[in-house]
Amino acid sequence: MAEYNAIVTEATVEGDDDGPLAGKTVAVKDNITTEGIRTTCGSAMLEEYVPPYSATVVDRLTEAGATIVGKANMDEFGMGGTTETSAWGPTKNPMDPERVPGGSSGGSAAAVAAGEADLALGSDTGGSVRNPAAFCGVVGIKPTYGLVSRYGLVAYANSLEQIGPLASTVEDAAALLDAIAGPDENDATTRSEGADSDYASAADGDVDELTVGVPTELVKGADDEVAEVFEAALVDLESRGVETVEVSLPSVEHAVQAYYVIAMSEASSNLARFDGVRYGVDGGEGNWNESFARAREEGFGAEVKRRVLLGTYALSAGYHDKYYKKAQDARAWVKRDFDEALDEADVLATPTMPVLPPKRGESLDDPLSLYLMDANTVPVNLADLPAISVPAGEAEGLPVGMQFVGPKFGEETIIRAASAVEE
Amino acid sequence: MTDTSDAGDAVDPAEVHHVAELVRVDLTDEEAASFAEQFTDVLSYFEALDEVPEVEDEPDLVNVMRTDEVREGLDQEEALANAPESEGGYFKGPRVS
């Protein structure tokens, strides 16, 4: 199990005897609360934290018959794109152990790719399910905002994040989404659309007469070897009755900046709860401010400090209008662009990641280059839309993911499109 | 902190220390120095947001209300189980001043 450092806490929670996921094993990302099982968010801050309750999605997994096999490694508090910021060490990519598995749900994707679990749950704030799915050659879905309950997900950036499934096939990922989707009285942002879903049966590969929009801005930024695999997959789809059209999303040039300003701002507020009093690292003697500051110095890693500080900076007096307010304008612009593009096409297609999985240690020292890797995934979170990453082929022996983005609650359409790619 | 007109300039370690104090994170001088350099890069990248036009956003927000009824929650023992220190059924924190 330890071969790839995909699972950080092994545990067995048996599911109910029957149900649609009976006999399936699931790895749960370590920022999703599990009653009686250590939940660390990849952080030294929560090394000893054992939650007294479970997330709604965890209850739904076991009710559907799935067996939980452990907690999956992740970038600390979901902050990173490579699973190298975990306090428990990096996860290796089972496709090439010298390379990163992507992040922040890298442990979840690696557990599925290595066969350590049939299925996995991750969370996606700016691409954290789709990015590792692409880098590890598995399927990952970021649901429409509000489709899946966030009750029991340790919050990083509430307005952007959704829990999402990872699996080896589109149909399995869709079946896992069926199990967790739907309203929850413990999360007032959930909607009724997923209540009686049957996404799994949408994975039928029937894409005849489907219109796929290709946003030029998100294809031109991809490395050549990634773009080649993507173009070949499009040609294959055309041979199966898909019509492709070019669409334009001028706002995406500003999406990454807007995403990081919003995510860091929300993080600076969310992570204020880690004061070392109710849980977490004990800050020791001194007055409250000194003790609090010491607990956070010891408990948080560099990327978490970086984002909490930058978020506070962006929200502070004199900078709020310059950064946060402008980021909200950009978010509205991105939403409008996607709506217009999805008037012209049923789904949009892009390479999931513009690059092949980098080697470990290559990107960690330069935060800005790491942030730029998310260019194709973060716009979707800003627009609250659903998206899926499906393996589209290989380049240099490494997996390349293709992303489909759908309209709000258009999960069935993106699942159908993705299932045609894997055939 | 400097005023907005200086925001495009380099961030110095003193500014990083000031923000760190606001968010209650102790930083070593080395951390503050390396953050200062990185923040200069990241914030100058964020400057591109200046080009974003004002966009009308009409989110379809609805109030979600429920009756305020007593429901089962964590019991005291469960709530205190992860606290480094507790006393007499309460969290024990450091002194406030």
Side-chain angles (χ1 to χ4, degrees):
Chain A
M1 283 297 250
E3 195 178 353
Y4 304 109
N5 197 25
I7 307 268
V8 289
T9 302
E10 287 184 40
T12 305
V13 183
E14 300 278 354
D16 290 354
D17 288 341
D18 56 4
L21 299 180
K24 299 276 192 189
T25 57
V26 186
V28 175
K29 188 174 181 179
D30 207 28
N31 59 351
I32 298 173
T33 301
T34 41
E35 183 182 351
I37 301 168
R38 190 173 83 121
T39 298
T40 73
C41 296
S43 181
M45 180 63 88
L46 292 175
E47 182 166 13
E48 320 255 336
Y49 179 65
V50 178
Y53 70 102
S54 283
T56 299
V57 293
V58 168
D59 288 336
R60 288 185 180 174
L61 276 185
T62 49
E63 281 161 23
T67 295
I68 294 166
V69 292
K71 304 302 291 292
N73 202 8
M74 58 182 283
D75 279 302
E76 186 178 3
F77 287 105
M79 300 179 189
T82 61
T83 313
E84 290 170 290
T85 72
S86 169
W88 319 127
T91 295
K92 297 175 181 173
N93 188 331
M95 301 293 106
D96 176 350
E98 283 186 15
R99 291 176 190 270
V100 303
S104 66
S105 312
S108 300
V112 171
E116 294 179 10
D118 299 322
L119 309 165
L121 289 183
S123 65
D124 190 312
T125 308
S128 284
V129 164
R130 290 159 285 158
N131 164 342
F135 280 179
C136 292
V138 300
V139 177
I141 302 174
K142 183 259 158 193
T144 307
Y145 189 78
L147 188 81
V148 175
S149 170
R150 285 178 293 112
Y151 179 72
L153 172 67
V154 179
Y156 155 27
N158 316 53
S159 81
L160 297 158
E161 61 204 2
Q162 276 284 284
I163 292 172
L166 294 117
S168 303
T169 68
V170 173
E171 189 177 358
D172 283 354
L176 180 52
L177 184 59
D178 282 322
I180 60 172
D184 174 18
E185 63 168 18
N186 286 326
D187 178 357
T189 63
T190 51
R191 304 270 296 264
S192 59
E193 275 82 351
D196 299 302
S197 66
D198 184 9
Y199 300 128
S201 70
D204 57 11
D206 179 10
V207 289
D208 194 25
E209 294 188 17
L210 192 79
T211 310
V212 174
V214 183
T216 43
E217 295 87 351
L218 295 181
V219 177
K220 74 172 185 216
D223 287 354
D224 289 347
E225 58 271 30
V226 171
E228 274 171 35
V229 174
F230 173 74
E231 300 291 349
L234 278 183
V235 169
D236 183 55
L237 284 176
E238 281 169 346
S239 74
R240 304 181 51 164
V242 161
E243 187 199 344
T244 56
V245 294
E246 273 196 12
V247 295
S248 181
L249 297 169
S251 66
V252 297
E253 305 272 352
H254 297 87
V256 174
Q257 298 97 308
Y259 165 76
Y260 276 101
V261 169
I262 292 169
M264 289 171 178
S265 297
E266 293 186 21
S268 73
S269 165
N270 275 320
L271 270 59
R273 74 190 57 179
F274 297 100
D275 58 6
V277 173
R278 290 154 302 155
Y279 36 73
V281 171
D282 184 0
E285 294 301 309
N287 72 28
W288 189 80
N289 284 340
E290 292 160 2
S291 174
F292 192 170
R294 209 175 306 122
R296 294 154 68 81
E297 157 72 353
E298 281 174 35
F300 289 155
E303 186 59 34
V304 171
K305 289 177 188 164
R306 195 146 44 221
R307 293 195 193 191
V308 168
L309 260 64
L310 279 165
T312 302
Y313 193 94
L315 289 175
S316 59
Y319 293 92
H320 176 275
D321 284 3
K322 181 179 175 60
Y323 296 117
Y324 189 74
K325 191 178 168 301
K326 276 290 166 193
Q328 295 293 7
D329 281 336
R331 183 171 192 173
W333 188 21
V334 169
K335 278 185 187 179
R336 196 182 64 193
D337 264 5
F338 270 105
D339 284 347
E340 286 171 8
L342 286 163
D343 282 342
E344 294 170 49
D346 298 310
V347 294
L348 309 180
T350 77
T352 309
M353 299 302 291
V355 295
L356 293 171
K359 291 196 170 156
R360 275 196 309 285
E362 272 183 355
S363 52
L364 207 56
D365 292 334
D366 180 5
L368 194 54
S369 78
L370 194 70
Y371 300 165
L372 291 169
M373 222 164 63
D374 296 343
N376 288 5
T377 54
V378 299
V380 179
N381 298 69
L382 289 172
D384 300 335
L385 299 174
I388 188 168
S389 178
V390 61
E394 289 189 350
E396 297 171 15
L398 297 163
V400 172
M402 184 165 186
Q403 171 178 248
F404 291 101
V405 184
K408 209 174 253 197
F409 299 108
E411 270 76 3
E412 285 178 17
T413 315
I414 57 169
I415 284 164
R416 182 162 286 121
S419 69
V421 171
E422 75 181 342
E423 277 176 20
Chain B
M1 193 154 301
T2 51
D3 71 37
T4 317
S5 59
D6 295 331
D9 300 339
V11 178
D12 64 46
E15 254 183 308
V16 173
H17 271 303
H18 174 71
V19 179
E21 206 178 300
L22 294 176
V23 289
R24 311 271 185 264
V25 179
D26 280 346
L27 291 184
T28 62
D29 288 342
E30 295 85 71
E31 271 181 307
S34 97
F35 280 178
E37 215 168 290
Q38 292 165 347
F39 286 10
T40 302
D41 282 356
V42 173
L43 291 170
S44 76
Y45 173 63
F46 288 171
E47 297 283 305
L49 286 170
D50 282 345
E51 299 156 16
V52 173
E54 257 185 60
V55 180
E56 281 295 314
D57 186 19
E58 292 157 35
D60 47 347
L61 297 176
V62 284
N63 283 322
V64 180
M65 308 292 273
R66 63 168 172 79
T67 323
D68 187 16
E69 286 167 345
V70 176
R71 293 192 292 181
E72 217 173 301
L74 299 180
D75 64 33
Q76 199 173 30
E77 201 181 321
E78 288 170 328
L80 293 170
N82 284 285
E85 267 193 282
S86 65
E87 193 176 298
Y90 296 96
F91 293 110
K92 191 176 176 190
R95 64 177 198 276
V96 174
S97 60

